[in-house]
Amino acid sequence: MEQEIILKKENQGFAIIKPLTNFFKVKFEKDNVLKFLKKTGITLISILLFLAFWHFGSKALYNKEATYKIEKALAEQGQAAAEAEKACIASRDSSCQPNTLPSPSQVWASFQSLIADHYLIKNKKQAFADKLATTNEKLVAQGKEAIVYTGRASFVDTVLTSIKTVFAGFLLAMIIAVPLGIFIGLSPSLRSAFNWFIQIFKPVSPVVWYLLVFMIVKTIYIGASSDNAFVISFISVGLCAMWATLVNTAMGVSSVDKDYINVAKVLKLGTFQKVFKVILPSSLPLIFTGLRITLSVAWMVLIAIELLAQSPGLGLFVWEEFQNGANDSNSKIIVAMFVIGIIGFLLDRLMLTVQQMVSFNKNEGI
Amino acid sequence: MAYLELKNVSKTYHQGKDNTEVLSNINLKIEEGEFVAIVGFTGSGKTTLVNLINGLIKPTSGEVLFKGEPVVGTSHERGVIFQNYSLLPWLTVFQNIAMAVKEAFPKENKAQIKNRVESYVEMVGLTHAIYKRPKELSGGMRQRVAVARALAMKPEMIIMDEPLGALDALTRGNLQDEILNIWNQDKRTALLITNDVDEGIYMADRIIPLKPGPKATLGPEFKINIARPRDKTALNDNADFKKTRNEIITYLMAIGDDRKSVSAQQYSLPDLTPKSFVSQF
Ligand SMILES: Nc1ncnc2c1ncn2[C@@H]1O[C@H](COP(=O)(O)OP(=O)(O)OP(=O)(O)O)[C@@H](O)[C@H]1O
Ligand SMILES: [Mg+2]
């Protein structure tokens, strides 16, 4: 018989969507409509307030920098230069724009241009592939490597790279931390053996993990031509983020309710049965709490690690835009910020939903 | 040689610097095929006594002998119905019971195990809920699952720790009869912990009170000489029944009063236990 996991009837993971779905399911009772309007209304108002605050804030910053530029031109080069500067700023010419916090509309424009850019690059890639299709076939037939497109990655590609990296890191963390946590939780002597190890390595910063992984992977890959940035970044992310899962798994396994242990004893379950039918299911909620923390930590440290590893993800995108200093760089950085935030939020919701599926109340069987 | 024997058994719990001797000098003999009930006040150490017998804990001093051998750990020969049901919340009713059946009958195939589980689920009247999880069941339904799980293992001796406490009178009566049936069929031995004197008299051959703790000991036993099968409805008019019941309740009230007067200075105890016996008159 399968060891099933409790499925909660009600999922609160996507709570934000719930009022919406309820709204369409339930009859249009006046109460419901009012409740819905109130809830969405408050959210909408707060978003508008936020945008207004941002808009006027960025405008103030813009004006401050513009005024400073004009005054500087006046002081250094005289009246004519100041007039020219003023005209230049007013004309929205990109060469003399103040380089400050972009306004919401600028960010939105950048977002659209990033998406347009993505389709442009996609088409280029396709054209490239079409053009080289026959050549590549020949190359492969001859046992040589096919020629691949090595042009600039689009914004969407960087997002996908980041998601790929974070999932690879998360999987690595899971593969290491869950089994290790189970062993540590089961054996008190292993627990004392590993305690110092966990205490020392848990607080180490992502940058240092990156350097450590870099030292090792670089040597392993020595002489190989392939790019190891992805490998280095996902391993660093995994090692950096796995501690919450390790600690939670060990804690869950070592603190199984005494009643369940008594049941296992009275039924005289073998070690295997005891671990897989009693101890693990009862620690699943804690394990998944750990995995949820791991995923959010992984996403958070990913940006810094990609930057260091020069892995073509969001981290590198942000860094390059900052270095670039082009006119729309700042708004692209803000776009990336929102994308990072939204993806992080969605990942967390995903884990919360899974976590609620496997959780049970300790008193349910008692 | 008695089937189960407790010789001068004492149990002390250590908690930090605190030592509480919960049970002191318990002597008990149960013969094979007997049905013994122990009645006692809440917190007097009934569950502790049950755990000593089923092998979950060891006595601090004295011996627990099962068929002449000291009890070391648990055994399938002694089935337990836990007071707090202790079902595994991530398993369905079926899975909870099947887990026990598989351990008790390792040689049986899937179909045989399924049959066994289903028949016991039917016995406790939960066929409609067989694929539900404990959290979807009421307290009484959970208790019935726990009863089915213990009985389905067909233990030689059934140890029951207040197994029917959360049930309504009707279900309670049915399950009492089922337990008696199973006990009677294969002439098994049974130990029932209960706080209901009527239940004890209806089911047991002997009733032994456990005095209030700490240092709880067993009181004098009361033999129930009513012929089996006993008829619940006729029991109320049975002179033997009335007499025994009066004796037991008088005894319990006396030791309950003792306890109250002894402990009144230290802390106030809820005086509901003696009263609940009285209210049954
Ligand atoms: N593991 C333990 N550690 C310390 N003290 C304990 C432990 N288990 C029980 N006790 C104490 O021993 C005493 C008897 O507990 P026990 O559970 O055996 O009582 P009980 O008669 O079964 O009560 P109830 O009728 O409420 O089920 C209580 O005072 C309790 O606090
Ligand atoms: Mg108890």
Side-chain angles (χ1 to χ4, degrees):
Chain A
M1 196 186 355
E2 296 290 73
Q3 179 103 2
E4 280 169 55
I5 285 162
I6 297 176
L7 285 167
K8 277 218 163 161
K9 265 185 283 175
E10 223 181 336
N11 270 325
Q12 268 137 28
F14 287 91
I16 282 203
I17 315 178
K18 229 171 106 189
L20 255 178
T21 50
N22 280 355
F23 182 65
F24 292 113
K25 239 185 333 202
V26 181
K27 297 160 265 148
F28 278 73
E29 284 166 34
K30 208 175 159 200
D31 255 18
N32 282 328
V33 176
L34 282 180
K35 231 186 235 167
F36 173 78
L37 286 180
K38 197 171 162 197
K39 202 159 180 178
T40 30
I42 289 174
T43 314
L44 273 180
I45 289 171
S46 66
I47 290 176
L48 286 178
L49 277 177
F50 171 76
L51 287 176
F53 183 72
W54 175 12
H55 175 78
F56 290 112
S58 68
K59 201 163 191 173
L61 289 171
Y62 179 91
N63 288 341
K64 184 175 176 189
E65 198 167 325
T67 318
Y68 173 79
K69 276 188 160 190
I70 295 165
E71 274 169 7
K72 196 174 159 209
L74 182 67
E76 286 172 4
Q77 291 158 315
Q79 187 66 34
E83 287 298 332
E85 183 76 23
K86 201 172 176 180
C88 179
I89 290 173
S91 74
R92 303 264 158 198
D93 190 282
S94 63
S95 63
C96 51
Q97 286 303 304
N99 188 17
T100 180
L101 177 71
S103 72
S105 58
Q106 280 172 307
V107 170
W108 178 245
S110 284
F111 174 69
Q112 284 175 316
S113 85
L114 281 171
I115 297 296
D117 183 51
H118 168 67
Y119 285 109
L120 205 77
I121 291 179
K122 202 174 153 192
N123 287 338
K124 259 195 210 162
K125 253 190 208 169
Q126 191 56 48
F128 181 85
D130 288 347
K131 211 167 75 188
L132 284 181
T134 44
T135 326
N136 270 344
E137 257 169 45
K138 273 184 209 152
L139 280 175
V140 172
Q142 288 166 9
K144 289 182 191 159
E145 267 185 53
I147 302 170
V148 288
Y149 183 80
T150 50
R152 184 168 62 88
S154 78
F155 181 67
V156 178
D157 293 336
T158 60
V159 173
L160 292 179
T161 306
S162 284
I163 291 178
K164 206 170 80 184
T165 315
V166 88
F167 272 109
F170 176 71
L171 268 173
L172 179 76
M174 195 161 78
I175 289 167
I176 297 176
V178 173
L180 194 61
I182 292 171
F183 285 121
I184 292 176
L186 285 176
S187 142
S189 37
L190 262 186
R191 215 172 307 153
S192 11
F194 268 94
N195 194 28
W196 67 269
F197 184 81
I198 295 174
Q199 301 302 334
I200 289 180
F201 285 104
K202 198 171 63 166
V204 170
S205 107
V207 177
V208 182
W209 278 116
Y210 163 74
L211 294 175
L212 178 78
V213 174
F214 176 74
M215 293 174 214
I216 297 168
V217 173
K218 183 197 67 181
T219 314
I220 292 174
Y221 269 63
I222 213 159
S225 63
S226 62
D227 186 17
N228 54 21
F230 172 73
V231 178
I232 292 178
S233 39
F234 95 75
I235 293 179
S236 318
V237 167
L239 291 183
C240 195
M242 72 177 202
W243 303 97
T245 302
L246 183 63
V247 171
N248 270 32
T249 307
M251 204 164 81
V253 167
S254 63
S255 64
V256 175
D257 200 282
K258 201 149 186 270
D259 286 327
Y260 304 153
I261 299 291
N262 279 351
V263 171
K265 278 190 189 155
V266 165
L267 301 186
K268 292 199 85 76
L269 299 183
T271 314
F272 182 86
Q273 291 268 321
K274 191 170 141 188
V275 170
F276 283 93
K277 299 238 154 151
V278 178
I279 293 177
L280 272 189
S282 107
S283 13
L284 269 189
L286 259 183
I287 294 179
F288 273 87
T289 311
L291 285 174
R292 183 174 161 213
I293 301 173
T294 287
L295 187 58
S296 64
V297 170
W299 185 246
M300 220 154 81
V301 301
L302 174 77
I303 306 302
I305 283 176
E306 278 178 340
L307 186 161
L308 290 168
Q310 297 287 300
S311 171
L314 278 167
L316 190 61
F317 175 86
V318 170
W319 185 243
E320 281 182 343
E321 287 304 329
F322 179 69
Q323 299 285 49
N324 190 350
N327 208 30
D328 59 349
S329 284
N330 285 0
S331 27
K332 281 184 183 166
I333 291 173
I334 305 286
V335 172
M337 189 183 104
F338 276 108
V339 169
I340 290 166
I342 290 168
I343 292 175
F345 168 75
L346 289 179
L347 289 178
D348 193 56
R349 288 285 129 166
L350 185 77
M351 285 308 287
L352 181 65
T353 312
V354 178
Q355 189 192 345
Q356 282 175 342
M357 277 192 223
V358 299
S359 72
F360 56 85
N361 193 329
K362 272 239 151 144
N363 296 324
E364 275 165 12
I366 295 174
Chain B
M1 182 190 69
Y3 186 69
L4 177 85
E5 184 169 5
L6 275 73
K7 279 191 193 163
N8 295 321
V9 168
S10 302
K11 179 69 193 176
T12 305
Y13 282 119
H14 306 277
Q15 262 181 338
K17 281 180 221 147
D18 287 353
N19 290 343
T20 8
E21 188 170 358
V22 177
L23 296 176
S24 173
N25 253 323
I26 301 274
N27 284 291
L28 173 69
K29 276 187 186 176
I30 298 178
E31 299 301 328
E32 185 158 10
E34 238 190 329
F35 198 126
V36 174
I38 289 180
V39 291
F41 297 97
T42 180
S44 56
K46 302 183 299 291
T47 301
T48 306
L49 184 62
V50 161
N51 286 345
L52 283 167
I53 295 171
N54 68 33
L56 279 174
I57 57 175
K58 286 191 213 122
T60 312
S61 65
E63 273 188 308
V64 181
L65 302 172
F66 181 69
K67 297 201 243 174
E69 300 282 324
V71 164
V72 197
T74 56
S75 155
H76 284 165
E77 293 174 312
R78 299 184 299 277
V80 191
I81 304 175
F82 289 106
Q83 181 174 13
N84 50 15
Y85 332 143
S86 296
L87 303 177
L88 303 180
W90 51 89
L91 299 181
T92 62
V93 170
F94 183 95
Q95 291 167 327
N96 263 295
I97 299 172
M99 189 172 181
V101 172
K102 274 185 213 158
E103 290 300 321
F105 305 96
K107 292 198 186 92
E108 294 201 343
N109 64 29
K110 261 197 158 138
Q112 286 169 307
I113 286 170
K114 188 164 185 269
N115 265 338
R116 250 181 222 282
V117 175
E118 280 171 353
S119 71
Y120 280 90
V121 171
E122 195 187 332
M123 180 198 93
V124 295
L126 285 176
T127 305
H128 63 283
I130 189 163
Y131 295 115
K132 288 198 170 152
R133 285 174 211 283
K135 70 163 175 183
E136 300 168 75
L137 307 179
S138 71
M141 289 160 95
R142 289 178 200 174
Q143 208 159 36
R144 276 139 69 194
V145 180
V147 171
R149 178 175 66 184
L151 296 183
M153 293 179 83
K154 292 211 158 237
E156 277 184 40
M157 180 177 184
I158 317 169
I159 305 165
M160 297 165 274
D161 191 357
E162 306 193 34
L164 310 176
L167 301 179
D168 61 282
L170 201 67
T171 323
R172 198 174 170 130
N174 281 341
L175 275 181
Q176 284 170 354
D177 291 337
E178 285 301 343
I179 291 171
L180 283 175
N181 261 343
I182 284 171
W183 163 75
N184 195 31
Q185 259 171 30
D186 321 300
K187 267 296 152 211
R188 274 179 267 177
T189 312
L191 176 67
L192 171 74
I193 307 288
T194 181
N195 52 23
D196 180 352
V197 177
D198 284 8
E199 181 172 276
I201 299 176
Y202 177 61
M203 296 180 79
D205 298 317
R206 286 190 283 152
I207 293 186
I208 306 170
L210 181 64
K211 294 182 186 170
K215 295 200 176 191
T217 50
L218 293 175
E221 67 172 41
F222 296 86
K223 279 214 151 58
I224 318 291
N225 293 316
I226 303 170
R228 293 177 190 271
R230 295 169 185 166
D231 179 352
K232 212 172 220 143
T233 43
L235 217 52
N236 281 323
D237 306 321
N238 184 313
D240 256 0
F241 173 77
K242 282 190 200 162
K243 190 170 142 276
T244 320
R245 187 184 174 195
N246 270 336
E247 279 172 13
I248 296 174
I249 288 168
T250 314
Y251 177 80
L252 286 172
M253 281 170 66
I255 58 173
D257 283 347
D258 278 358
R259 177 179 65 158
K260 257 203 285 186
S261 59
V262 167
S263 51
Q265 300 94 333
Q266 297 147 10
Y267 46 84
S268 59
L269 283 167
D271 59 348
L272 50 94
T273 353
K275 269 195 184 149
S276 74
F277 291 120
V278 177
S279 69
Q280 287 167 359
F281 279 101

